[in-house]
Amino acid sequence: MNIQVESLTHIFANSKPQRTALAEINFEVKSGQFVALIGPSGCGKSTLLRLAGDLLQPTRGRIALDGREPAEMRAAHEIAWMAQSPALLPWLDARQNVALAQRFMPTNRHPRLTVDQVLERVGLSDAAGAFPFTLSGGMQQRLALARLLALEASLWLMDEPFAALDEISRERLTTELLDLWQPLHPTVLWVTHNIYEALRLADRILVFSPSPGRIAADLTIDLPRPRSEADPRFQQTLAALRAALGSTVTAQVAQ
Amino acid sequence: MNGSRKSGLVALALVLVFFASWEAAVRFFGVPVYILPSPSRTFVTLATNPEMYLQASALTLGESLAGLLIGVLTGGLLAILLTLLPGLEGGVMTLAILMKSTPLVAIAPLLTIWLGFGVVPKIVITALMTFFPVLVNVLSGLQHVDPALTDLFHSWNASRWEVFRHLRLPTALPFLFAALKISAPLALIGAVVAEWTGASGGLGRTMWLAYTNLNLPYLFAAIFILAAGGMSLFRLLGWLERKVVFWLPDSRES
Amino acid sequence: MRKNFWLLVSFVLVLAACTPTAATPAATEPVSTPLAEPTAVEQSPTTVVTEPSPTPAELLPMTFMAGYKPQANLPFVGVYVAKAKGFFEEEGLDVTVEHSAGQGQHLQLLSAGTIQVTNQDAAVLLQRRADPGLPLVAIALLGQKGQQAYAALKSSGIESPKDWEGHTVGYKGTPPPDLFALISAAGADKDKIKLVNVGFDPRLLTEGKVDVYPVFKSNEPYMIQSWGYDLNLWAAEDFGVPSLGLTYVTSEEILKTQPELLTRFLRGALRGIQYAAEHPDEAIEITLTYTGPETDPAHMRFMLDAELKDAQSDLTAENGWGWQTQEQWQALADMLKTEGLPVEDDISGAFTTQILEAARGK
């Protein structure tokens, strides 16, 4: 699914003072691109994600998914959403949680993957009958990933999904995520605060500056995956990213 | 032995110690039976009138449970209604609070005039006493759904009914049990108090008759039954809660 | 999860289904011995019946509500016995007996027409007619003298109401008019007496929390004496203060529209009282079927004897149980007025001998 953002503006009118989360954002994402959205807090990254997912309606401008409204794509079950909290239903076991995602699909969609297949893909076959409260944070997020997979959507909107995990789990899940993404190649918008994570995952990094939210930098990452920090080009890109971020911080402080 | 078994034995021991001290105090101080009967006297009274107490208990229990059931259904359905039509919340809650605050003594005769002399007014009074906690708690549960989950369901394009059935209702279950733990003992008290305003049977009536005859062993025997009944009800609810709301940490046994 | 939900639902349904619907939805049918079931009514040999004996299907239903819990108060006993011995049936009545909790709901239900006859203390009846204006009418005055009295332990040395000065005297509810009348009739200074609101608890007297306790002659003295204490009792009528007891009471509406029903009821109930006077032991046995095992039969017998005694006067010797006159009621009304209580100026509507005469003239 490709994404076109034109003059996208979103103002939270109810907050005091009024907050302009996004101001005249313009960019395009090609189908199958993994895009990371990074920037300091309050710069509108999550808002952008919510606008793309039809959880908010923009104040001005538009966002088009394959030329259509997000609402349409949401109704067609082409959008998969994943947030920082695993958002699993605690009264359902692993298998039932994944099955629930497929339950609301329109009748003309027939999922190719069964629930058990999905669980196997993420390595949770043994835990199929387990309830979320018995699973560790990492396993819960993995289950949330499985649920995401089961939707077979062409757009993944992911809002800092690994932020609450410990370093080791995060490492492991990042690798696993890539393994899951690469065969399917959906378009991904990935919000993060972690620059290493952004560099390891994304084809493209959009750096946002806050108040009002604007795109400060648009970096393309051409490195082949899996990416290693030992690679000098990695370090170069890292430096460039840091610089871009640094300027947004100064810009924020200046305001 | 495991933890719950042990705590059960400790509780039993405490109860026995309590009764033993009571018995000793009554005997030692020569307390007249019409001031405070001894536990032994009370138990003898219970044991020598099994049918009467059984009948009375069954009636009061039946009234309580029927009233509780109606109260829970009313409170629950109202809560569901208010979730679907939030505009009604202000008006309905005001009415509910008014109903809850009206003293029993005032309503009971009215109910007798409308509903007759039998168990029905008692059940209605009990229902009136129990519906409010259920309404408030279940409404809270239905409304306070994790926003991350509502986002998720929205992204799945789930209909309002699907969100209600798969998300709101299960979220409300622990709240329902919290309410039940309040309402169930209230139901028992409600039935007893309703019987005081005029009844042909039941533990409340037995207590009233016993007191006005200053026949305290009979009174205390009824109190023992009520206490035991209330405790059992509570434990039963706890067990049920652990089974139904199994995912919450505090309802899980260690 | 779904399984657990249905577990919950079925559990609750099973429990609620345990409500004994077999529990009598209506009357206080006596618990033990089955009494006379509605059979074809035979002609009573002692009365001349002018109309054909009614078949069970023609029994007129009505409800009598005792103004308190089941016990051997005379108005209750009259009804208990009349029902048990078939007197009501012979009158063509199917009387349902209910009991009130004693908080006044029996008067509300009477005024609303839910019940047809109840009983009430004469002084309270007069006051309720005036305020809030309940349409009550006494159709028989069983208590020719009232049962209210005051008791002190003999060991306290309080010999007369004059000795009440400097002591604590209890009253139930609001200070009753006969209390003040008694105090002034005995020549005591009420300002030197400490008045305390007490509930029903004669232990207050035995445990020394009050010096003088308000009793019903037919009730608490028995209890206190059974605990081993002797009492001094003072009643208003001993000091020339008018006092009347319990009445059978109906509403003005029912009196106007159903005098025949009331006549039959009263006839049956008075027969019941007569029978109880002649066969007190049997009357107590019948009463015990309404109370439970927590009631002491000797206590009930004491109550019946005490009230039977006060139900008899020169008036009743001449006119039969329950007779009442304007003089009796006026004396009571005047006393209430003197004590500043709400009473109608014309109390002739508060009682009637119409039903007594109809019941008699047979």
Side-chain angles (χ1 to χ4, degrees):
Chain A
M1 181 187 298
N2 63 54
I3 306 177
Q4 262 148 331
V5 177
E6 288 168 30
S7 297
L8 188 66
T9 305
H10 194 76
I11 301 173
F12 287 106
N14 291 330
S15 63
K16 291 175 173 54
Q18 246 184 39
R19 201 160 63 83
T20 305
L22 293 169
E24 306 275 326
I25 306 287
N26 290 281
F27 68 92
E28 268 186 48
V29 172
K30 283 206 279 279
S31 192
Q33 257 193 335
F34 197 123
V35 181
L37 309 177
I38 197 166
S41 305
C43 63
K45 330 186 279 294
S46 296
T47 308
L48 179 59
L49 222 63
R50 293 178 78 83
L51 287 165
D54 190 39
L55 288 164
L56 283 175
Q57 265 68 54
T59 315
R60 280 194 299 275
R62 75 186 281 250
I63 178 165
L65 307 174
D66 272 348
R68 316 244 267 281
E69 294 294 317
E72 241 187 279
M73 287 316 210
R74 180 176 67 83
H77 287 251
E78 285 295 348
I79 305 178
W81 176 269
M82 184 160 160
Q84 191 178 122
S85 98
L88 297 166
L89 297 185
W91 47 84
L92 298 179
D93 66 29
R95 188 180 282 123
Q96 290 165 328
N97 261 292
V98 177
L100 191 68
Q102 294 187 328
R103 202 197 161 93
F104 302 112
M105 277 185 180
T107 41
N108 53 7
R109 288 268 302 253
H110 300 289
R112 280 169 292 136
L113 289 173
T114 67
V115 171
D116 289 307
Q117 282 171 331
V118 170
L119 284 173
E120 220 202 297
R121 284 269 176 97
V122 298
L124 282 175
S125 300
D126 289 339
F131 286 91
F133 66 83
T134 63
L135 301 174
S136 68
M139 287 178 82
Q140 287 186 14
Q141 277 297 36
R142 195 177 298 160
L143 184 57
L145 262 181
R147 195 170 54 182
L148 184 110
L149 269 184
L151 285 176
E152 300 175 3
S154 47
L155 173 63
W156 291 4
L157 300 174
M158 305 177 84
D159 195 344
E160 303 189 64
F162 298 159
L165 299 176
D166 62 277
E167 183 115 18
I168 297 177
S169 303
R170 210 182 321 139
E171 278 285 325
R172 194 184 315 150
L173 277 176
T174 310
T175 315
E176 289 181 21
L177 176 74
L178 281 174
D179 290 339
L180 292 171
W181 171 73
Q182 274 170 323
L184 302 167
H185 246 279
T187 311
V188 180
L189 289 184
W190 177 283
V191 171
T192 183
H193 273 127
N194 189 319
I195 50 183
Y196 288 96
E197 187 181 87
L199 279 172
R200 284 192 59 200
L201 289 173
D203 297 318
R204 184 170 161 205
I205 302 180
L206 295 176
V207 179
F208 282 76
S209 72
S211 324
R214 284 185 222 279
I215 299 181
D218 188 341
L219 302 163
T220 311
I221 322 292
D222 249 327
L223 305 168
R225 296 187 186 87
R227 297 167 183 170
S228 144
E229 293 183 33
D231 186 339
R233 286 176 300 169
F234 188 100
Q235 293 300 323
Q236 264 177 334
T237 325
L238 179 62
L241 183 56
R242 278 227 177 85
L245 274 169
S247 64
T248 68
V249 173
T250 21
Q252 185 180 31
V253 167
Q255 292 197 343
Chain B
M1 64 181 80
N2 72 33
S4 77
R5 197 97 184 280
K6 194 155 174 211
S7 72
L9 283 176
V10 168
L12 186 63
L14 278 175
V15 167
L16 287 174
V17 166
F18 171 70
F19 280 128
S21 340
W22 175 353
E23 182 84 30
V26 166
R27 284 176 198 250
F28 182 73
F29 292 105
V31 183
V33 68
Y34 53 86
I35 299 283
L36 184 70
S38 63
S40 56
R41 191 81 181 256
T42 309
F43 281 116
V44 166
T45 308
L46 251 182
T48 48
N49 291 281
E51 298 106 35
M52 180 190 96
Y53 279 108
L54 212 62
Q55 229 177 4
S57 307
L59 183 59
T60 304
L61 187 66
E63 288 165 0
S64 318
L65 289 177
L68 183 64
L69 186 66
I70 296 177
V72 169
L73 281 176
T74 313
L77 287 174
L78 264 177
I80 292 176
L81 181 73
L82 291 183
T83 312
L84 296 174
L85 299 169
L88 294 178
E89 189 171 331
V92 172
M93 284 309 266
T94 310
L95 272 176
I97 294 172
L98 271 175
M99 274 210 280
K100 175 193 164 41
S101 318
T102 315
L104 268 185
V105 181
I107 328 177
L110 279 177
L111 288 176
T112 308
I113 292 176
W114 292 329
L115 300 169
F117 290 105
V119 290
V120 176
K122 321 288 181 292
I123 293 176
V124 170
I125 288 174
T126 308
L128 278 172
M129 286 181 75
T130 56
F131 92 97
F132 193 73
V134 175
L135 170 62
V136 169
N137 271 279
V138 173
L139 185 61
S140 186
L142 288 173
Q143 288 172 337
H144 293 123
V145 182
D146 186 355
L149 285 172
T150 37
D151 283 347
L152 190 66
F153 272 72
H154 185 80
S155 78
W156 289 342
N157 199 33
S159 71
R160 260 182 104 185
W161 163 243
E162 282 164 337
V163 171
F164 192 85
R165 192 180 144 216
H166 291 278
L167 184 56
R168 288 195 197 278
L169 274 183
T171 305
L173 273 181
F175 290 80
L176 174 64
F177 273 96
L180 277 177
K181 286 199 203 147
I182 299 171
S183 286
L186 269 183
L188 213 50
I189 294 171
V192 168
V193 173
E195 286 172 9
W196 283 341
T197 65
S200 45
L203 281 177
R205 178 182 188 260
T206 306
M207 288 170 72
W208 177 53
L209 288 177
Y211 180 66
T212 51
N213 281 298
L214 279 175
N215 194 325
L216 296 208
Y218 275 90
L219 175 67
F220 273 77
I223 294 177
F224 281 8
I225 297 178
L226 274 175
M231 254 193 314
S232 309
L233 211 55
F234 200 82
R235 305 210 103 208
L236 200 65
L237 276 175
W239 171 84
L240 201 64
E241 182 183 29
R242 279 192 300 277
K243 285 267 171 296
V244 174
V245 187
F246 56 87
W247 60 90
L248 285 181
D250 14 71
S251 47
R252 270 177 267 139
E253 287 197 330
S254 48
Chain C
M1 154 66 198
R2 197 157 312 155
K3 187 175 77 158
N4 287 321
F5 175 73
W6 289 113
L7 173 70
L8 168 65
V9 169
S10 48
F11 176 78
V12 174
L13 285 174
V14 163
L15 279 183
C18 290
T19 310
T21 47
T24 50
T28 46
E29 291 299 336
V31 177
S32 47
T33 50
L35 298 171
E37 267 131 331
T39 52
V41 178
E42 319 113 29
Q43 290 244 8
S44 167
T46 55
T47 52
V48 179
V49 183
T50 47
E51 64 244 27
S53 353
T55 61
E58 289 173 17
L59 287 179
L60 270 177
M62 66 164 280
T63 305
F64 168 78
M65 184 174 232
Y68 199 45
K69 63 170 179 164
Q71 56 185 18
N73 285 130
L74 196 56
F76 304 6
V77 174
V79 171
Y80 295 156
V81 171
K83 197 168 147 94
K85 305 303 287 181
F87 302 158
F88 284 139
E89 252 188 293
E90 288 171 30
E91 296 293 337
L93 288 179
D94 175 18
V95 178
T96 306
V97 181
E98 297 289 345
H99 294 83
S100 149
Q103 287 147 5
Q105 66 170 161
H106 59 298
L107 295 179
Q108 267 182 303
L109 293 172
L110 181 69
S111 307
T114 314
I115 60 177
Q116 286 73 47
V117 181
T118 182
N119 65 278
Q120 186 57 56
D121 170 77
V124 174
L125 192 154
L126 283 176
Q127 290 171 69
R128 289 289 161 271
R129 274 184 63 91
D131 171 24
L134 294 181
L136 310 170
V137 185
I139 58 174
L141 178 66
L142 294 178
Q144 296 287 307
K145 282 207 292 254
Q147 289 298 310
Q148 292 94 321
Y150 297 87
L153 299 178
K154 252 211 179 73
S155 56
S156 68
I158 300 177
E159 299 287 323
S160 83
K162 190 86 175 75
D163 298 330
W164 292 6
E165 289 175 359
H167 287 99
T168 314
V169 174
Y171 60 88
K172 292 172 185 159
T174 51
D178 63 288
L179 174 61
F180 294 117
L182 197 162
I183 291 174
S184 47
D189 181 355
K190 76 172 190 293
D191 294 320
K192 294 202 185 130
I193 301 175
K194 179 151 183 252
L195 291 175
V196 175
N197 188 351
V198 298
F200 167 78
D201 198 343
R203 301 174 298 180
L204 291 172
L205 184 65
T206 60
E207 298 305 304
K209 300 291 180 250
V210 291
D211 300 310
V212 180
Y213 183 81
V215 300
F216 287 98
K217 279 185 282 180
S218 53
N219 191 21
E220 289 101 325
Y222 175 86
M223 286 179 191
I224 300 173
Q225 280 157 356
S226 73
W227 299 337
Y229 297 89
D230 282 325
L231 294 176
N232 288 336
L233 280 177
W234 304 278
E237 64 265 17
D238 300 333
F239 293 82
V241 179
S243 135
L244 296 179
L246 291 176
T247 65
Y248 277 129
V249 102
T250 189
S251 70
E252 287 168 1
E253 179 72 24
I254 294 170
L255 179 63
K256 196 161 58 165
T257 58
Q258 296 181 281
E260 174 66 19
L261 183 83
L262 294 174
T263 307
R264 295 195 204 179
F265 170 81
L266 195 57
R267 200 181 297 138
L270 293 183
R271 262 180 87 187
I273 290 177
Q274 179 63 37
Y275 191 93
E278 292 164 4
H279 308 92
D281 288 321
E282 193 184 341
I284 295 305
E285 258 178 58
I286 295 170
T287 305
L288 287 175
T289 62
Y290 286 87
T291 71
E294 72 289 314
T295 307
D296 179 358
H299 184 187
M300 293 296 99
R301 179 62 195 268
F302 176 94
M303 187 178 282
L304 181 63
D305 289 341
E307 295 200 10
L308 274 172
K309 185 161 139 255
D310 284 336
Q312 294 173 58
S313 66
D314 295 332
L315 286 171
T316 63
E318 202 182 310
N319 300 293
W321 299 104
W323 196 254
Q324 46 193 347
T325 64
Q326 176 74 18
E327 287 76 34
Q328 281 176 306
W329 282 92
Q330 192 64 55
L332 185 67
D334 291 339
M335 188 269 282
L336 293 177
K337 211 173 284 181
T338 314
E339 294 301 330
L341 287 166
V343 176
E344 298 167 293
D345 290 325
D346 177 11
I347 50 110
S348 57
F351 73 100
T352 178
T353 52
Q354 170 194 340
I355 306 298
L356 282 165
E357 283 165 11
R360 225 174 29 158
K362 212 184 172 271

